[in-house]
C-alpha cells in the first residue's frame, strides 16, 4: 500500500510508515492515481531523451520514427505508447513477503527494529519501529517486536550508520502466504558486525537470540532463524569497517521457505530475488503469459531470472527456458524449483547478464533463434548496456518483454533499445 517512493515526494519521513510506504496517508484510489501519474511522467521523458540522443547524430533523419511522430504523441498526450490503467492489488495491507528491517535506535535512544527515518539531529541515525506500517504482516511485526525486546537487553549495541560502530545491524524477514497446511513459514536472517569482538561473547548473544525465538509467536508461524556476519546485501559497506568472515548460518529451522505461485512450488533463500507481493506476482505472471504469444517451439530467454519464477511459470508452454542470474544462491534455488515441479526443459546459468546473454544467443540453433522470446526483469538500476546491445544484435529476436520496477531506468534502457542502428548500437531497433 503506497510504496511508490518516487511519487511520494522528497519530504523527510516522519514515521516508519512514511519511510516504508510513502503514499499510505492517501486513499487507495488516490494511490493508484499517483502511481499511474509517476509511470506516465517517466514515459513522457522517452521522446525527449530520444531527441537528446539524436543531437549527436549527424544523420538525424534516421531518428524520425513513425511511433514517435508528433501526431501520434499528440494523440497519446505525449506518451510514446498506450498505457493501461494500474491494476489494483488483491491485498493492500500486510502483503509483503519480504521486509528488510533496520536495527538501530529511535528518537528516544531506545533499541528499535524497523525502518530508517534518516540521519538527523547532530548526525544521529534514527530508526522508527515497524508498528503501524501497513505493508508489514502481523507475523513479521510480531517477530520484529520479539527481536527488539531481546536486543534491548543485549550488552552489545545496535549498529550506527553514522559512526559505523555497533553489533546488531539488520533483520531480513521472508514469509510464505500460499500455505494450506498450517501456519505460514517465516524466515528471519539477522545481520551482525562481529569483527573485533570475543567469539565467546558473540556466540552467547546469538544463542540468547535463538533461545528467544524458540517460544511461539502470536500469530503462530513455522519459524527459521539464520545469522549473517557482515553487511546485508545491497547495504553500503564503509571503507573503515573491519573485515568479516561473511556468510549465512542457519541456527534454527531450515535455510529457505516455500511459496506457491500459479500452482508451482518455489524455494526461496534469504538473498534470492522473489517478487515481494505474492498475489501481485501471480497477476504479473498471468499478464506476461498473455503477452508472450508462446508456442511449443518457443525458446524463452529469462534475463535476471532470480529464483526462476517467470521462466518456470511458462516452461510447460514452450520448448525450452534459459535463465540467467548473477546470484549463485538464486540460481541454486531456480534449479531446485525446476526439479521440485518436474520441469525438465529449463536451465539456469549463474553469470552476470552482460557476460552470459551474448554467449547464450551465440549457441542457439537457427531454428531456436527464429522462435526466441526474451523477458528481462532487471533490478532497480535497469539492464547493463552490454545486455541491451547483445539483445539488439540478435536479429531473429522479434519480441522482448521488459518487467520494470523503476520506470525512469526503463526509459534509459528503452532509448538504447529503440535508437537507430549505429556502430555502437548494431541491430534493428525495437519499437514500443
Amino acid at each position: 500500500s503506497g510504496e511508490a517512493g518516487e511519487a511520494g515526494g522528497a519530504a523527510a519521513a516522519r514515521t516508519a510508515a512514511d519511510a516504508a510506504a510513502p503514499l499510505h496517508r492517501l486513499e487507495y484510489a488516490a494511490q493508484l492515481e499517483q502511481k499511474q501519474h509517476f509511470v506516465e511522467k517517466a514515459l513522457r521523458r522517452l521522446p525527449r531523451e530520444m531527441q537528446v540522443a539524436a543531437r549527436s547524430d549527424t544523420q538525424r533523419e534516421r531518428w524520425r520514427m513513425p511511433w514517435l511522430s508528433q501526431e501520434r504523441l499528440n494523440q497519446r498526450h505525449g506518451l510514446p505508447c498506450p498505457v493501461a490503467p494500474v491494476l489494483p492489488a488483491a491485498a493492500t495491507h500486510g502483503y509483503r513477503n519480504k521486509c528488510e528491517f533496520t536495527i538501530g535506535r529511535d528518537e528516544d535512544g531506545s533499541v528499535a527494529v524497523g525502518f530508517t527515518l534518516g540521519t538527523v539531529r547532530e548526525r544521529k541515525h534514527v530508526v522508527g519501529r515497524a508498528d503501524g506500517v501497513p505493508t508489514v504482516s502481523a507475523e513479521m511485526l510480531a517477530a520484529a517486536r520479539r527481536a527488539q525486546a531481546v536486543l534491548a537487553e543485549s550488552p552489545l549495541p545496535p549498529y550506527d550508520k553514522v559512526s559505523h560502530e555497533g553489533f546488531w545491524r539488520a533483520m531480513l524477514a521472508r514469509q510464505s502466504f500460499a500455505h494450506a497446511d498450517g501456519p505460514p513459514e517465516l524466515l528471519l536472517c539477522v545481520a551482525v558486525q562481529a569483527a573485533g569482538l570475543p567469539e565467546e561473547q558473540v556466540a552467547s548473544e546469538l544463542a540468547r537470540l535463538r533461545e528467544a525465538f524458540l517460544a511461539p509467536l502470536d500469530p503462530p508461524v513455522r519459524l527459521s532463524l539464520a545469522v549473517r556476519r557482515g553487511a546485508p546485501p545491497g547495504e553500503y559497506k564503509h571503507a573503515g569497517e573491519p573485515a568479516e568472515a561473511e556468510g549465512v548460518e542457519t541456527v534454527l529451522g531450515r535455510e529457505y521457505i516455500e511459496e506457491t505461485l500459479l500452482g508451482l512450488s518455489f524455494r526461496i533463500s534469504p538473498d534470492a530475488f522473489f517478487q515481494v507481493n505474492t498475489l501481485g506476482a501471480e497477476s504479473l505472471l498471468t499478464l506476461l503469459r498473455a503477452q508472450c504469444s508462446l508456442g511449443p517451439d518457443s525458446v524463452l530467454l529469462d534475463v535476471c531470472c532470480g529464483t526462476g519464477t517467470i521462466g518456470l511459470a511458462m516452461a510447460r508452454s514452450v520448448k525450452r527456458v534459459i535463465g540467467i542470474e548473477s546470484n549463485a544462491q538464486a540460481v541454486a534455488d531456480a534449479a531446485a524449483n525446476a526439479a521440485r515441479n518436474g520441469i525438465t526443459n529449463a536451465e539456469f546459468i549463474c553469470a552476470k547478464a552482460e557476460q552470459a546473454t551474448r554467449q547464450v544467443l551465440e549457441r542457439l540453433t537457427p531454428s531456436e533463434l527464429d522462435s526466441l522470446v526474451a523477458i528481462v526483469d532487471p533490478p532497480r538500476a535497469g539492464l547493463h548496456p552490454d545486455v541491451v546491445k547483445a539483445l539488439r544484435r540478435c536479429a531473429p529476436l522479434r519480441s522482448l518483454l521488459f518487467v520494470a520496477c523503476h520506470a525512469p531506468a526503463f526509459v534509459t534502457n528503452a532509448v538504447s533499445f529503440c535508437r537507430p542502428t549505429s556502430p555502437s548500437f548494431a541491430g534493428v531497433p525495437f519499437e514500443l
Side-chain angles (χ1 to χ4, degrees), residues 356-379:
T357 301
R358 185 174 182 178
Q359 297 172 2
V360 168
L361 294 174
E362 288 175 347
R363 63 184 174 89
L364 293 179
T365 67
S367 62
E368 288 177 326
L369 286 171
D370 286 338
S371 304
L372 182 64
V373 175
I375 295 180
V376 296
D377 185 10

Side-chain angles (χ1 to χ4, degrees), residues 321-366:
V321 173
I322 304 171
I324 300 173
E325 170 62 47
S326 61
N327 184 292
Q329 186 57 63
V331 171
D333 284 348
N337 290 332
R340 70 170 52 227
N341 290 288
I343 295 173
T344 59
N345 63 335
E347 64 171 305
F348 298 95
I349 299 168
C350 184
K352 290 184 178 180
E354 59 268 27
Q355 297 172 349
T357 301
R358 185 174 182 178
Q359 297 172 2
V360 168
L361 294 174
E362 288 175 347
R363 63 184 174 89
L364 293 179
T365 67

Side-chain angles (χ1 to χ4, degrees), residues 36-64:
Q36 183 89 21
H37 171 74
F38 175 68
V39 171
E40 291 183 357
K41 180 180 176 181
L43 287 174
R44 286 191 178 96
R45 281 182 41 225
L46 179 57
R48 297 196 297 270
E49 295 290 334
M50 294 285 281
Q51 291 173 2
V52 171
R55 290 173 189 166
S56 61
D57 194 333
T58 57
Q59 302 177 34
R60 294 182 188 175
E61 287 298 316
R62 301 183 310 135
W63 293 76
R64 297 188 182 279

Side-chain angles (χ1 to χ4, degrees), residues 8-15 18-19 117-118 120:
R14 291 171 286 170
T15 67
D18 292 328
L117 301 185
V120 299

Side-chain angles (χ1 to χ4, degrees), residues 253-269:
R254 58 182 182 175
E255 300 172 347
Y256 57 88
I257 62 170
E258 294 181 4
E259 186 62 293
T260 301
L261 285 180
L262 298 179
L264 298 177
S265 174
F266 290 90
R267 185 182 88 174
I268 309 169
S269 298

Side-chain angles (χ1 to χ4, degrees), residues 158-171:
Y159 184 76
D160 186 286
K161 291 185 178 180
V162 176
S163 66
H164 306 289
E165 297 176 347
F167 178 71
W168 305 101
R169 295 190 71 136
M171 185 176 78

